[in-house]
Amino acid sequence: MPIYTYQCPTCSRKRDVFKRIADIDRREDCANCGFAMNRQLSTPMVLGDYPGYECPISGEWIEGRRA
């Protein structure tokens, strides 16, 4: 499920919401003041390559995902 960020236009409070794509049109209200919140455009988090580490089983040096 995607994470959507909402921000209240009156009190500027932000909230992250887990929603199904089918529920994207459902309105979110601010828990603080009760106004309808606006969905914010946010970038997805992309995990790059892992840093190198020593394998706890074999002791060999592992560099990145392919190893």
Side-chain angles (χ1 to χ4, degrees):
M1 278 194 292
I3 301 173
Y4 296 99
T5 302
Y6 288 86
Q7 184 174 11
C8 181
T10 57
C11 67
S12 299
R13 181 174 258 177
K14 288 187 177 182
R15 183 171 68 171
D16 292 330
V17 179
F18 290 100
K19 275 190 175 183
R20 295 184 320 169
I21 294 175
D23 293 338
I24 192 65
D25 293 330
R26 195 179 84 208
R27 184 176 132 169
E28 292 295 324
D29 293 331
C30 181
N32 190 36
C33 62
F35 281 92
M37 299 179 87
N38 298 327
R39 191 172 71 216
Q40 301 293 303
L41 181 64
S42 58
T43 57
M45 185 180 86
V46 178
L47 182 62
D49 207 3
Y50 295 129
Y53 64 95
E54 184 178 343
C55 177
I57 298 170
S58 65
E60 71 178 279
W61 186 255
I62 306 293
E63 188 65 47
R65 292 178 190 239
R66 289 188 181 239

